[in-house]
Amino acid sequence: MHTPHRESVLSRAARILEAFSQDEPALTVSEIARRTGLHVATVSRLVAELVAHGFLSRDSDRKVRIGVRLWELVTRASPTLSLRDHAMPFMEGVHDVVGHHVQIGVLDGDDVLFLERLSAPQAVINYTRIAGRLPLYASSSGLVLLAHGPSDLKQRILDSPLTAYTPATPATPAQLRATLAEIRQQGYAYCPGYVHAEALGVAAPVRGADGTVIAALSVIVPNEVGAQAVVPVVRTAARGVSRALAGRGTQDTP
């Protein structure tokens, strides 16, 4: 299915850039055309222009991938850089303690988008990656963001199909409401086996200078690790990031 001719060049270029994924970072022109619904000739012309500007690049086998120039511009202007920079010392401290996965995520649409992740060899299974996404209702970071998010967002998620990754995933409206209420009451999310049966996610809110929740700091560890070993560390680190963002120092680094 081809797009209407009146679609702007910028919209078409955006659709081409969005065709790439972490699992398939390199595509042929024909594959991009299939994914975007654009004519092959249109894709070929726009890809050539994007390559000329450095927003895309070509491999030796003529496959196309995101270019370094696009990464440079995004890195230079991203509003998430300050958050990542303030969070990194605390994430490193938590990682030294838990030895598995530590990550920070922000709300983006109906997903949690992960800005940074620290991991280790032989760490427990974790489906998240830097610049990766998970549904808000299934992950510990997403649940923290959803619990503190606007009411219209909560209602939209509650009204949408909820896929159970495991039997523990809160995949009914009643289960999700109860989970969100518990998170708001206790101040953190404790999610054993929500995304993978063997993995425990624990997340705590990171607040901006005005007190609103702007991110979630989380760890993914084996289920048997338990709450006592990780909850205090995660909550302390999240409060430390919040204070650093507010300009009140970083004394709470674990």
Side-chain angles (χ1 to χ4, degrees):
M1 182 179 68
H2 299 307
T3 56
H5 179 71
R6 62 179 174 272
E7 184 181 28
S8 70
V9 173
L10 180 59
S11 295
R12 295 179 184 188
R15 293 175 63 191
I16 288 172
L17 295 174
E18 291 169 352
F20 299 89
S21 68
Q22 289 183 319
D23 293 328
E24 295 179 280
L27 301 170
T28 66
V29 168
S30 296
E31 288 169 338
I32 296 172
R34 283 196 298 272
R35 292 187 178 199
T36 61
L38 296 169
H39 194 279
V40 172
T42 300
V43 172
S44 181
R45 175 176 56 81
L46 289 174
V47 163
E49 292 187 35
L50 290 166
V51 168
H53 287 284
F55 299 140
L56 294 176
S57 65
R58 290 188 190 272
D59 293 342
S60 57
D61 61 359
R62 304 297 292 169
K63 283 194 172 184
V64 182
R65 64 176 64 242
I66 297 295
V68 173
R69 177 62 173 163
L70 189 60
W71 170 84
E72 177 190 359
L73 293 174
V74 170
T75 301
R76 184 188 303 167
S78 174
T80 62
L81 284 179
S82 176
L83 171 60
R84 179 194 173 279
D85 290 346
H86 282 90
M88 185 56 72
F90 297 92
M91 293 177 63
E92 290 172 344
V94 173
H95 189 256
D96 287 343
V97 174
V98 303
H100 284 267
H101 307 285
V102 184
Q103 52 204 23
I104 190 161
V106 296
L107 178 66
D108 189 51
D110 293 350
D111 299 323
V112 51
L113 173 65
F114 293 95
L115 305 181
E116 186 59 86
R117 189 185 80 162
L118 301 178
S119 190
Q122 308 305 315
V124 70
I125 188 168
N126 183 12
Y127 291 147
T128 63
R129 289 175 287 187
I130 297 172
R133 296 170 177 269
L134 280 175
L136 292 173
Y137 71 90
S139 63
S140 57
S141 293
L143 284 164
V144 163
L145 295 168
L146 185 58
H148 296 280
S151 57
D152 61 330
L153 172 64
K154 294 188 187 75
Q155 193 58 54
R156 185 166 70 248
I157 299 300
L158 286 164
D159 291 341
S160 66
L162 304 175
T163 301
Y165 287 80
T166 74
T169 308
T172 69
Q175 290 173 330
L176 183 54
R177 285 192 184 94
T179 299
L180 296 176
E182 183 179 48
I183 291 169
R184 287 191 296 271
Q185 180 181 25
Q186 66 189 12
Y188 62 91
Y190 184 82
C191 307
Y194 279 26
V195 178
H196 190 279
E198 298 176 5
L200 163 66
V202 176
V206 172
R207 299 180 183 274
D210 62 356
T212 59
V213 174
I214 62 170
L217 190 147
S218 63
V219 301
I220 308 297
V221 297
N223 272 333
E224 58 267 22
V225 170
Q228 293 300 318
V230 291
V231 169
V233 177
V234 173
R235 298 189 72 187
T236 299
R239 287 194 296 268
V241 178
S242 301
R243 277 197 278 271
L245 289 168
R248 296 197 296 269
T250 58
Q251 298 93 326
D252 283 346
T253 308

